[in-house]
Amino acid sequence: MSFVTRFAPSPTGPLHLGHAYSALLAHDMARAAGGKFLLRFEDTDLERSKPEYVDQIIDDLTWLGITWDAPPLMQSDHFDDYNQSVEALIAQGLTYPCRCSRKDINAALAAPQEGAPHTVYPQTCKNRSMSERGATDALRLHMDRAMNALGGQKLSFTELGDLKKGVHVIDRDDIIQSVGDIVIGRKDIHTAAYFLASALDDINQGISHVVRGIDLFEFTQVQVLLLHLLGHKPPLYYHHKLIRDENGKRLAKRDDARAISLYRSEGISPNDIRSMTGL
Ligand code: GLU
């Protein structure tokens, strides 16, 4: 099997040490396997994504010695593709419209932030039918129905990272309780949410191995479920450790003190960054 992996930052802030580790690790794995390393900007959040962050991330990755084997994929160029998949899930009767607050929905739309706990949706709108869908309603995946659609078949994915190594069977009760009815689409800004767009692009980019932080591990099951419902075979997954600060706190984008650009301005070398992350 050929090895194709990717780094998929959301350009909503500067590249920090945690991202650098993720990108370097995935890049090293691809090069060691004689495979491919691809780049994807997850810029579906049009309010928070900024072109200057895209430029800065490209500049920082290049400085780190990372090269990619195709032009970067910009998710904002592919809204139509994602929406076709949203329509396919609607057609299967697996969605419901949700009119909960913009704040709730925005939180659910963005990629999970390192350090922020995932809130399981309290199912307020669960009994609304698609015919009641308002122009600004979000669409949620009806998780119980989505699991029922498997018709008793066991769905699983393979994790290669040491932290969670093994075959993980997707458990109905666990996915309902720990992930819940996630947002998969939103009409007013014409976009599919993070979970769906990201999983679809792993297929579109021919990714064989998804290398990313362990903070995304619990969402892998829902991405595998979505891919299955849309007739795709999931890639293999490798979730790596997170880079923490001296206090053991996970780094987040807002930790600008860890921005690679800042280290660069202080004269730190790419090799120093590698050793700081334990590579
Ligand atoms: N865009 C996500 C982030 O920046 C990563 C998604 C992924 O690697 O699957 O956290």
Side-chain angles (χ1 to χ4, degrees):
M1 179 194 207
S2 62
F3 188 106
V4 185
T5 191
R6 60 13 171 227
F7 176 57
S10 309
T12 54
L15 201 74
H16 66 62
L17 210 53
H19 295 118
Y21 173 67
S22 196
L24 284 165
L25 181 68
H27 182 256
D28 288 359
M29 285 168 82
R31 296 295 171 243
K36 286 198 170 122
F37 175 82
L38 304 176
L39 197 54
R40 168 166 89 231
F41 285 100
E42 301 205 319
D43 58 346
T44 51
D45 182 341
L46 297 173
E47 272 169 38
R48 291 169 58 235
S49 299
K50 301 260 180 312
E52 49 274 34
Y53 288 131
V54 172
D55 295 344
Q56 177 74 57
I57 290 170
I58 287 184
D59 193 56
D60 286 341
L61 292 174
T62 307
W63 174 80
L64 284 166
I66 289 175
T67 53
W68 41 96
D69 301 306
L73 183 149
M74 305 299 298
Q75 287 197 322
S76 53
D77 291 339
H78 295 272
F79 286 142
D80 287 349
D81 297 347
Y82 311 136
N83 286 327
Q84 272 178 21
S85 296
V86 170
E87 291 302 327
L89 294 168
I90 294 173
Q92 292 179 54
L94 302 180
T95 58
Y96 63 89
C98 171
R99 59 180 164 212
C100 293
S101 82
R102 179 169 280 269
K103 199 169 148 244
D104 274 5
I105 292 165
N106 280 347
L109 258 176
Q113 288 292 309
E114 290 177 340
H118 166 68
T119 348
V120 175
Y121 177 62
Q123 308 199 342
T124 326
C125 294
K126 191 143 189 159
N127 294 323
R128 293 180 71 214
S129 80
M130 285 302 291
S131 60
E132 296 169 59
R133 183 182 183 185
T136 56
D137 285 352
L139 285 186
R140 287 190 182 271
L141 184 69
H142 194 300
M143 193 59 86
D144 327 44
R145 281 195 215 141
M147 285 303 283
N148 289 348
L150 297 178
Q153 135 186 216
K154 275 207 183 356
L155 197 58
S156 64
F157 65 91
T158 301
E159 170 64 30
L160 300 173
D162 283 341
L163 299 173
K164 297 273 184 187
K165 197 181 221 124
V167 174
H168 295 262
V169 175
I170 299 173
D171 178 75
R172 182 190 163 91
D173 293 341
D174 181 57
I175 201 169
I176 291 173
Q177 277 159 29
S178 67
V179 180
D181 295 350
I182 54 149
V183 171
I184 56 155
R186 184 162 162 194
K187 201 168 177 202
D188 59 339
I189 55 172
H190 196 66
T191 183
Y194 156 73
F195 293 107
L196 183 57
S198 185
L200 283 172
D201 279 337
D202 286 332
I203 301 301
N204 295 337
Q205 290 188 292
I207 302 302
S208 64
H209 293 70
V210 169
V211 178
R212 62 184 182 185
I214 192 75
D215 52 332
L216 292 169
F217 181 80
E218 68 170 304
F219 301 104
T220 305
Q221 46 180 341
V222 80
Q223 292 190 310
V224 169
L225 173 61
L226 288 169
L227 288 179
H228 179 84
L229 294 168
L230 294 165
H232 301 296
K233 193 173 168 293
L236 301 170
Y237 293 87
Y238 183 108
H239 289 85
H240 59 70
K241 66 169 186 181
L242 300 178
I243 301 295
R244 296 172 188 277
D245 68 13
E246 327 54 63
N247 304 317
K249 198 177 137 274
R250 292 186 286 183
L251 296 181
K253 287 220 179 69
R254 50 198 170 274
D255 287 323
D256 287 353
R258 314 278 157 173
I260 296 302
S261 51
L262 202 82
Y263 287 118
R264 287 176 67 178
S265 70
E266 288 170 351
I268 279 176
S269 74
N271 267 341
D272 295 334
I273 301 282
R274 280 186 173 272
S275 21
M276 284 159 75
T277 58
L279 281 169

